[in-house]
């Protein structure tokens, strides 16, 4: 249900803007997106009333005080949600990967309800695919055709929409989380997690195998990732820190740790942290290897050499845009190739650092384009943009100053392989 936010909010005289996505604390990546979308909307329209449609309203209310209202949309009556929709001027769908089998129709049902009430609708750097189920494909074709603007975060999503039969202009920008600001992750927090502050640190993100390791059983999959972790311990004289990006990742991190020959050099972050704090933690790392898209994005934002492990098209697409290695699969007999790729990444990073810095800056600028396009729609709704709105949004984006230095060079020169 809708309840008052936990922090007193000023009266808002501007448009009522709804934000609908996979929000509610299930995934750090989605929460980072919400943080950035709310910041964009507030920069564009300081007097707007921002209404978040959440899968866990209490979590959103506590962790996103910038929202003026929070509405549960799961496990509540349809009329309750429709009443909240009816009061909006604009409904923003996204960002994040929302249009996939089994979920697309659920989100788009609410978008269609808004459209039927004359509410303007905007797709904010969403992701699409896989879309194989007939009901989801039909919903995507019909609802997106009537949206005021459709922006996706990667080329693969645009290709998926074209394959489904969406016949309209679709703009490609970049993931909203590229505009996330880091928050401090202090040495005291490091000590509390048992993470050393006087050693090289490698971050790892693991999740269920999925399409990344279709030919491996789960035990072999965990053992392979443990081989990678052990290699990094020996190669860099490092500790490996596993960062769960959602709750189910913890089990897989424990399983990988249990297969390591040097488990004493491994740690799993167990605390509950905001997306900005997780990004702040990344600034302590020297290298990152991972599967979750937003783990890879956070690593890129932190100026780290990063090896994306294959999982889905969205990770491949981001790796390609970053110029990072894009592996095509994980198989036990390919372990040597995977370790060689990690080794090459570390050795070549000093020469590639400036190029990667430039690519992150370019992607961050593209992420800002989504905010600008949303501002154009708001101009149509209420007749004018607030002075300085985009300047305020740009001020939140890391790396947009071409003179800025990458934030995190490796702590020392790579050493010869010693394993």
């Amino acid at each position: 249900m809708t309840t008052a936010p936990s922090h007193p909010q000023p009266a808002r005289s501007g448009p009522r803007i709804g934000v609908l996505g996979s929000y509610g604390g299930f995934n750090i990546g989605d929460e980072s997106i919400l943080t950035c979308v709310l910041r964009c909307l507030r920069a564009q329209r300081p007097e707007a009333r921002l209404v978040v449609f959440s899968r866990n309203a209490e979590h959103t209310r506590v962790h996103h005080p910038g929202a003026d209202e929070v509405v549960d949309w799961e496990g509540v009556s349809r009329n309750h949600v429709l009443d909240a929709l009816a009061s909006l001027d604009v409904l923003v769908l996204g960002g994040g990967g929302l249009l996939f089998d089994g979920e697309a129709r659920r989100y788009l049902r609410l978008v269609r309800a808004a459209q039927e009430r004359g509410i303007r609708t905007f797709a904010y750097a969403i992701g699409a695919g896989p879309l194989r189920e007939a009901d989801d494909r039909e919903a995507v074709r019909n609802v997106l055709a009537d949206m005021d603007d459709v922006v996706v975060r990667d080329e693969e999503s645009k290709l998926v929409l074209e394959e489904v039969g969406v016949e309209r202009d679709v703009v490609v920008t970049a993931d909203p989380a590229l505009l996330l600001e880091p928050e401090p992750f202090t040495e005291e927090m490091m000590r509390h997690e048992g993470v050393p502050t006087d050693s090289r640190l490698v971050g790892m993100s693991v999740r269920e195998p999925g399409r990344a390791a279709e030919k491996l059983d789960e035990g072999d999959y965990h053992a392979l990732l443990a081989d990678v972790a052990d290699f990094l311990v020996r190669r860099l004289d490092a500790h490996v820190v596993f960062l769960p990006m959602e709750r189910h990742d913890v089990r897989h991190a424990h399983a990988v740790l249990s297969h390591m020959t040097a488990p004493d050099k491994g740690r799993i972050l167990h605390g509950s942290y905001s997306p900005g704090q997780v990004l702040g933690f990344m600034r302590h790392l020297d290298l990152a290897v991972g599967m979750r898209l937003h783990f890879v994005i956070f690593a890129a934002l932190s100026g780290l050499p990063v090896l994306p492990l294959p999982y889905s098209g969205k990770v491949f697409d981001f790796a390609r845009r970053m110029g990072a290695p894009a592996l095509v699969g994980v198989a036990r007999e390919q372990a040597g190739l995977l370790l060689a790729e990690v080794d090459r990444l570390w050795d070549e990073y000093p020469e590639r650092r400036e190029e990667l810095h430039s690519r992150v800056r370019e992607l961050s600028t593209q992420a800002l384009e989504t905010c600008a396009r949303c501002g154009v729609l708001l101009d149509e709704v209420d007749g004018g943009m607030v002075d300085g709105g985009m300047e305020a949004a740009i001020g939140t984006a890391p790396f947009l100053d071409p003179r800025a230095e990458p934030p995190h060079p490796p702590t020392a020169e790579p050493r010869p392989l010693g394993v």
Side-chain angles (χ1 to χ4, degrees), residues 194 196 230 233 238-240 257 260-267:
D230 282 327
V233 167
H239 283 69
V240 174
L257 187 61
M260 289 178 62
T261 59
D264 58 308
K265 294 295 185 73
R267 295 288 187 276

Side-chain angles (χ1 to χ4, degrees), residues 138-405:
E138 181 181 9
V140 168
R141 276 194 304 271
N142 294 337
V143 177
L144 266 60
D146 293 333
M147 296 190 77
D148 290 272
D149 199 2
V150 175
V151 180
V152 296
R153 67 183 177 186
D154 51 51
E155 288 288 347
E156 167 151 332
S157 294
K158 182 176 182 178
L159 293 174
V160 168
L161 296 183
E162 290 175 350
E163 190 277 329
V164 166
V166 173
E167 296 181 350
R168 61 159 301 149
D169 289 337
V170 175
V171 175
V172 179
T173 58
D175 194 283
L178 283 153
L179 303 179
L180 186 66
E181 292 182 314
E183 299 172 21
F185 200 100
T186 65
E187 289 196 5
E188 181 180 353
M189 296 164 72
M190 298 277 283
R191 287 192 295 270
H192 181 74
E193 288 283 2
V195 177
T197 58
D198 57 352
S199 172
R200 281 183 177 155
L201 299 176
V202 174
M204 284 193 72
S205 163
V206 298
R207 59 173 296 167
E208 74 275 9
R211 289 175 291 165
E214 293 176 330
K215 297 181 180 180
L216 291 180
D217 64 32
E218 197 168 82
D220 284 343
Y221 163 73
H222 292 145
L224 174 59
L225 295 181
D227 287 346
V228 175
D230 282 327
F231 173 84
L232 292 167
V233 167
R234 297 190 301 265
R235 170 70 167 93
L236 305 179
D237 189 20
H239 283 69
V240 174
V241 184
F242 295 89
L243 279 72
M245 299 296 283
E246 70 173 46
R247 64 190 68 174
H248 300 299
D249 295 355
V250 175
R251 179 175 73 85
H252 295 284
H254 277 290
V256 172
L257 187 61
S258 72
H259 282 82
M260 289 178 62
T261 59
D264 58 308
K265 294 295 185 73
R267 295 288 187 276
I268 301 171
L269 287 191
H270 288 291
S272 177
Y273 302 109
S274 71
Q277 288 173 323
V278 175
L279 180 56
F281 176 80
M282 303 287 280
R283 304 298 173 94
H284 294 280
L285 302 178
D286 296 279
L287 183 141
V289 178
M291 302 181 77
R292 290 279 183 191
L293 172 63
H294 287 92
F295 172 88
V296 176
I297 289 175
F298 287 6
L301 287 174
S302 302
L304 292 171
V306 55
L307 178 67
L309 294 178
Y311 179 75
S312 65
K314 61 188 179 183
V315 179
F316 283 113
D317 190 275
F318 186 78
R320 177 187 59 80
R321 296 171 83 177
M322 281 298 301
L327 305 178
V328 296
V330 174
R332 192 67 179 166
E333 62 272 15
Q334 294 176 333
L337 296 176
L338 180 59
L339 300 184
E341 196 65 61
V342 174
D343 196 50
R344 186 172 68 86
L345 175 71
W346 177 257
D347 285 337
E348 294 182 357
Y349 180 70
E351 289 74 36
R352 299 197 59 233
R353 184 165 164 261
E354 292 299 330
E355 176 194 351
L356 296 176
H357 171 54
S358 175
R359 288 181 182 240
V360 171
R361 186 168 58 245
E362 179 181 349
L363 288 172
S364 297
T365 303
Q366 291 177 21
L368 275 173
E369 183 184 343
T370 315
C371 185
R373 294 184 72 91
C374 190
V376 171
L377 177 58
L378 293 172
D379 286 348
E380 297 175 5
V381 170
D382 68 0
M385 181 175 170
V386 175
D387 289 342
M390 275 311 297
E391 287 79 359
I394 289 172
T396 68
F399 304 136
L400 295 190
D401 182 352
R403 299 165 298 177
E405 287 297 317

